[in-house]
Amino acid sequence: MQWKQEYINTVKTLAKQGLSSSKIGEAMFEQYNINFSGRTIRKYAQGVEKDTTNVRGVELTINQDGSQTSITRIQMTSEQAKDPDFVLRAHGFDSYKWDIISLKNNFWQMGSKDSDPVDLYQSKITVKPRVVKLNVDDLIETLNRNVKPIEVKNIQQGETSLVISLFDLHFGITKLNMLKSHINQIANILKKGYKRVEIIVGGDVLHSDFITKTQTASNTQLDHVKTIKALNEAESFISTIIEMSLQYSPTVEVKAVSGNHDTDSQYLFIWGMSKKYPQVEFDNELNTERLAFSFDKVGIMVAHGNLALKRLPMLFANEYPDIWAHSRYRMVASGHFHTEKKTDVDGVMMWQFGTAKPNDPYEKANGYTMGRKHLQLLEFDKERLLATYEVE
Ligand SMILES: [Mn+2]
């Protein structure tokens, strides 16, 4: 078996406390539930100097649960008696490796006519091996370890809300360098400052659902793309949009629905992004064909657009009656066809968004090349659309 450093340290600690090799073996069995070889224990225990400072006649009991109870007499001051680290060391325990569960010090003075009295304690402690505990701050630190700090200087808080709709980016076909100008334009729009920014990821962020082959979620063979590169570029692009939004709005949310190309890969991609940005609220359920959200009196349903497209207004009303009832502006945002189309269907704005993606060989062959290659950002006040920003 593999001897972990932890086992070696425990052998050394116990040897330091004066335990024999066979007692160490018993203690180790209690603690780890493993029968360690006596020969190896002797090897590591050999030459360890016993710690006898302040310790006289320690009585040590190893308990069922792996804790240890130690009784000894210690000469110490009343201040030292209150210091768990000191008491641990006086019992021969390494205070970095053990925690006191209970401690009882009985005091008495010993002396004679000729000398000053000495403060003595009958000390009994029960200890357990220290477990490394992560506190909440450490945990946040761990979660944020790869997040580049964003310098937020006076968040500009506007009165209006911005919806950034990102449908059908098809990274793999779309390359990051094609979107540089789009990023600059979006930055300029964001600079105004917003009450909130809603980023819609409407599916087909990645061209392929797979890493090792280029196929859609339903295994349709596609023109080959480099998916790892696509993943890195999608991460750069979406991260940039999120970080810019955080700079110009106190509330940033991401709403993601599955596309037909990247049902699994987009879910995992957005899942990763949600770990990267714990300060952003992510709505990313697996197999979400549609979702709805609202702010103020604006209600928006999001669907990729490949499923149940014509029924979406009534699905919105039926599946999200609360949002529907509280909204004065109702909109269904979709994509999938890579061409913008906006229709007022009985008061529900059916907005099919285009994409900045360039034409791929399939589209060229079939002549699907004529839509505008653009992204759109929508600015809302509390209950209506104020402006549409065209980014192309
Ligand atoms: Mn699609």
Side-chain angles (χ1 to χ4, degrees):
M1 65 159 276
Q2 192 69 32
W3 268 73
K4 287 197 258 176
Q5 191 57 41
E6 187 195 343
Y7 302 149
I8 298 167
N9 292 343
T10 309
V11 169
K12 292 194 166 169
T13 307
L14 294 172
K16 206 172 167 187
Q17 289 166 25
L19 267 72
S20 67
S21 298
S22 63
K23 284 279 177 209
I24 292 174
E26 282 173 36
M28 300 272 290
F29 182 77
E30 286 285 347
Q31 193 168 333
Y32 300 111
N33 214 20
I34 300 172
N35 262 317
F36 292 87
S37 107
R39 212 176 53 162
T40 319
I41 291 175
R42 276 194 296 284
K43 188 179 96 189
Y44 289 120
Q46 225 168 39
V48 174
E49 249 191 70
K50 283 173 199 158
D51 190 354
T52 49
T53 4
N54 290 325
V55 181
R56 302 175 186 82
V58 175
E59 185 190 320
L60 189 73
T61 316
I62 314 262
N63 306 313
Q64 279 288 329
D65 62 356
S67 66
Q68 301 187 14
T69 302
S70 164
I71 303 171
T72 189
R73 280 181 202 169
I74 310 169
Q75 183 186 332
M76 59 184 167
T77 65
S78 62
E79 280 309 303
Q80 287 169 331
K82 288 174 202 149
D83 176 355
D85 281 357
F86 181 88
V87 177
L88 266 173
R89 283 196 302 274
H91 278 262
F93 289 98
D94 183 337
S95 61
Y96 289 104
K97 291 179 189 147
W98 298 88
D99 278 327
I100 292 184
I101 307 169
S102 74
L103 181 157
K104 193 176 177 190
N105 288 325
N106 289 320
F107 169 79
W108 82 90
Q109 280 190 324
M110 199 178 76
S112 62
K113 281 181 284 183
D114 312 322
S115 63
D116 289 335
V118 175
D119 291 350
L120 269 180
Y121 287 83
Q122 164 87 6
S123 177
K124 180 179 174 185
I125 59 170
T126 302
V127 297
K128 60 169 188 193
R130 175 167 283 190
V131 179
V132 179
K133 283 176 234 147
L134 271 184
N135 64 28
V136 175
D137 286 342
D138 290 342
L139 196 62
I140 290 170
E141 173 72 33
T142 309
L143 287 173
N144 286 338
R145 67 196 182 280
N146 290 325
V147 181
K148 287 183 216 115
I150 305 154
E151 234 183 276
V152 180
K153 292 177 196 147
N154 310 321
I155 291 177
Q156 305 236 8
Q157 224 170 325
E159 291 297 305
T160 58
S161 301
L162 188 72
V163 173
I164 302 176
S165 66
L166 302 172
F167 284 85
D168 304 287
L169 288 169
H170 290 262
F171 275 96
I173 298 291
T174 304
K175 309 284 191 295
L176 188 61
N177 60 15
M178 297 169 180
L179 295 173
K180 276 189 178 148
S181 155
H182 298 75
I183 290 171
N184 283 332
Q185 292 171 62
I186 293 172
N188 280 325
I189 296 161
L190 278 166
K191 272 178 191 159
K192 196 180 140 191
Y194 294 90
K195 197 160 74 171
R196 64 197 299 124
V197 174
E198 300 286 347
I199 300 165
I200 296 176
V201 179
D204 294 359
V205 161
L206 299 163
H207 193 54
S208 175
D209 206 24
F210 300 88
I211 302 290
T212 49
K213 54 187 178 180
T214 309
Q215 292 183 357
T216 66
S218 53
N219 300 317
T220 304
Q221 186 61 46
L222 300 163
D223 295 303
H224 189 65
V225 296
K226 291 173 180 160
T227 304
I228 295 288
K229 187 166 181 258
L231 200 54
N232 279 313
E233 296 204 344
E235 192 221 343
S236 283
F237 181 73
I238 302 286
S239 296
T240 306
I241 302 283
I242 289 176
E243 291 180 22
M244 290 193 307
S245 301
L246 284 168
Q247 229 164 341
Y248 295 109
S249 178
T251 305
V252 177
E253 296 184 341
V254 173
K255 310 285 175 186
V257 296
S258 304
N260 58 314
H261 272 248
D262 60 349
T263 311
D264 288 4
S265 61
Q266 180 187 286
Y267 172 79
L268 286 171
F269 169 65
I270 298 293
W271 176 85
M273 297 299 282
S274 73
K275 302 295 167 197
K276 187 176 174 185
Y277 296 106
Q279 68 273 60
V280 172
E281 198 184 301
F282 282 78
D283 199 341
N284 179 43
E285 303 288 328
L286 188 57
N287 293 325
T288 301
E289 281 78 24
R290 50 190 175 269
L291 59 80
F293 65 97
S294 67
F295 49 88
D296 300 324
K297 290 187 173 175
V298 176
I300 300 177
M301 174 173 260
V302 184
H304 181 62
N306 56 323
L307 298 168
L309 183 60
K310 290 208 170 101
R311 294 199 300 281
L312 289 174
M314 280 316 285
L315 285 167
F316 187 1
N318 278 273
E319 291 178 345
Y320 297 90
D322 291 343
I323 294 177
W324 180 269
H326 287 110
S327 302
R328 292 293 167 270
Y329 187 95
R330 302 183 183 105
M331 177 181 136
V332 172
S334 66
H336 185 59
F337 297 98
H338 304 183
T339 312
E340 192 208 348
K341 192 167 113 187
K342 195 175 163 191
T343 328
D344 185 335
V345 179
D346 302 328
V348 180
M349 301 315 293
M350 293 281 286
W351 202 326
Q352 176 184 297
F353 288 91
T355 171
K357 162 190 168 295
N359 292 125
D360 57 42
Y362 166 83
E363 288 169 324
K364 283 179 189 155
N366 288 281
Y368 301 140
T369 55
M370 294 180 283
R372 289 216 76 82
K373 308 279 177 278
H374 67 172
L375 299 176
Q376 290 173 305
L377 280 60
L378 319 179
E379 185 180 359
F380 291 91
D381 78 355
K382 285 191 174 128
E383 52 181 28
R384 70 181 181 93
L385 180 69
L386 289 179
T388 307
Y389 297 96
E390 304 281 333
V391 174
E392 68 174 290

